[in-house]
Amino acid sequence: MSILYLSPGRDPEPWLAAFARAMPTEKIVVWPDVPDPAAIDIALVWKQPKGELQRYPNLRLISSFGAGVEHLVTDPEIPAHIPMVRIVEDRLTIGMAEFVALHVLRRHRWLDEIEANQKAKIWKWLPPRDTPSTTVGILGLGALGLAAAQVIRALGFKVAGWSRTPKQAEGIECFHGQGQLKAFLGRCAHVACLLPVTPETRGLLNREAFAAMPRGSHIINAARGPIVVDADLLAALDSGHLEWATLDVFHEEPLPVTHPYWTHPRVTVTPHNAADSLPDYVVPTMVENIKRVRSGRPLLNLVDRARGY
Ligand code: NDP
Ligand code: OXD
């Protein structure tokens, strides 16, 4: 049997090289050049054309190239009996924690203002913000959210977290469910969104959510673009209610050149690189699940299709 590499637009070479090191005898077929669909038992997938995965009659496992799986759970033509797994991996997790810490500290320490002042040769003291009384909120306390929360806590901030189901985590004030969302948002100077995009979270960061955040607060979205209602975010920034937005993900990627985020004076745009799937780190986790499915052992990091993540 062979493995299918199905990721339109992504260079297969580093992935094939990492697989050759990890599974030297394995045959990998790069989509769309698939001579024998019946020979495929494993598919490694990112943003597949909808319906494509029903063409492989002997498929036993679908592995996302990333942590997010909305490309899989929104494809109704993927046969229901095929398990889907996603990436949970330390380098990716630490990368996301770095991103959240970087941007919280950037705003907390006035870095944007200091850089603008340097360009204008202005020596201006800015009042220090107090770390122990500043709350950073993390939307989503999963693999990435929990790690980001722990790093932020280690820096001395207060940390709050919000999830779908109740949680307990040392040093983190935990909230859950729609009923506790406003109470969570209301105490946060910085909110970092690390939720999956699902029917429940799409449009969650809207006018009401921004109004619940304190005046002068900062929103970071490193999850998925459609969780934010762009018009509501721009209105909250323009009214001065929100001080800043740091955005790594967008409704349309690459972000269209005409989009107002590009030129907004209080928006930082990053190119969906908060935490990347790197072949040398991610391939061993894929290989582990390939071995497991072929030997009938339980899979790691299974996606729950009904839940959507
Ligand atoms: P997990 O599945 O481990 O965690 C998801 C968290 O979100 C869980 O705590 C879950 O709650 C919570 N959640 C889900 N739905 C809701 C809801 N309706 N209300 C409240 N909380 C909810 O995911 P990861 O941490 O691994 O990844 C999160 C997302 O980050 C990915 O789905 C992906 O979109 C994005 N991502 C972005 C990257 C980038 O570079 N920008 C890189 C990697 C990922 P509960 O614990 O109760 O289930
Ligand atoms: C992911 C991503 O989901 O890169 O892993 O966004």
Side-chain angles (χ1 to χ4, degrees), residues 40 69 85 132 134 171 208 217 279 286 299 307:
I40 301 294
V69 289
V85 293
T134 299
E208 251 182 275
S217 49
M286 290 175 152
L299 295 169
R307 214 177 51 168

Side-chain angles (χ1 to χ4, degrees), residues 160-195:
W162 184 74
S163 51
R164 192 175 55 84
T165 56
K167 295 257 175 302
Q168 282 189 332
E170 199 187 333
I172 300 167
E173 196 182 2
C174 293
F175 297 80
H176 69 276
Q178 277 294 335
Q180 296 183 0
L181 180 61
K182 283 192 182 159
F184 161 83
L185 293 171
R187 65 219 319 111
C188 300
H190 307 259
V191 171
C193 178
L194 296 177
L195 294 166

Side-chain angles (χ1 to χ4, degrees), residues 1-267:
M1 298 303 283
S2 310
I3 297 175
L4 174 69
Y5 175 102
L6 200 186
S7 181
R10 182 194 299 252
D11 177 9
E13 286 314 320
W15 293 90
L16 298 182
F19 264 101
R21 285 190 288 276
M23 294 182 110
T25 58
E26 199 68 34
K27 182 156 192 268
I28 308 209
V29 176
V30 179
W31 184 89
D33 195 6
V34 189
D36 180 11
I40 301 294
D41 68 339
I42 313 285
L44 315 174
V45 179
W46 191 248
K47 298 191 178 161
Q48 76 287 357
K50 293 277 189 280
E52 173 64 20
L53 288 166
Q54 62 176 345
R55 285 188 51 224
Y56 304 91
N58 296 314
L59 198 54
R60 297 171 67 181
L61 175 68
I62 298 172
S63 176
S64 171
F65 272 102
V69 289
E70 69 279 10
H71 56 297
L72 298 177
V73 295
T74 57
D75 186 340
E77 290 169 76
I78 295 181
H81 67 277
I82 303 175
M84 308 197 280
V85 293
R86 66 189 199 94
I87 299 304
V88 178
E89 179 275 306
D90 284 355
R91 188 57 244 158
L92 181 86
T93 302
I94 293 161
M96 184 59 86
E98 286 171 0
F99 183 87
V100 173
L102 169 71
H103 292 283
V104 165
L105 289 174
R106 196 189 96 238
R107 290 305 311 145
H108 186 65
R109 298 299 298 254
W110 304 104
L111 190 60
D112 303 286
E113 289 79 355
I114 288 169
E115 286 183 345
N117 288 345
Q118 179 178 350
K119 281 201 184 91
K121 299 185 180 162
I122 295 171
W123 179 280
K124 183 178 175 198
W125 182 86
L126 293 161
R129 311 205 230 213
D130 181 53
T131 303
S133 60
T134 299
T135 300
V136 178
I138 312 287
L139 287 162
L141 284 176
L144 302 180
L146 193 57
Q150 284 161 345
V151 167
I152 294 291
R153 179 173 172 246
L155 291 169
F157 291 93
K158 282 199 223 171
V159 184
W162 184 74
S163 51
R164 192 175 55 84
T165 56
K167 295 257 175 302
Q168 282 189 332
E170 199 187 333
I172 300 167
E173 196 182 2
C174 293
F175 297 80
H176 69 276
Q178 277 294 335
Q180 296 183 0
L181 180 61
K182 283 192 182 159
F184 161 83
L185 293 171
R187 65 219 319 111
C188 300
H190 307 259
V191 171
C193 178
L194 296 177
L195 294 166
V197 65
T198 67
E200 286 77 45
T201 63
R202 191 172 282 269
L204 183 95
L205 292 175
N206 57 15
R207 191 157 64 102
E208 251 182 275
F210 297 132
M213 290 170 63
R215 191 170 179 81
S217 49
H218 170 210
I219 181 86
I220 299 172
N221 185 15
R224 287 292 184 261
I227 297 173
V228 169
V229 178
D230 286 348
D232 293 358
L233 175 55
L234 288 163
L237 288 163
D238 291 340
S239 72
H241 184 72
L242 290 190
E243 184 189 81
W244 208 278
T246 300
L247 306 173
D248 185 56
V249 287
F250 304 91
H251 285 256
E252 187 183 341
E253 295 179 8
L255 183 64
V257 287
T258 52
H259 200 287
Y261 286 151
W262 279 117
T263 49
H264 198 286
R266 286 179 294 112
V267 172

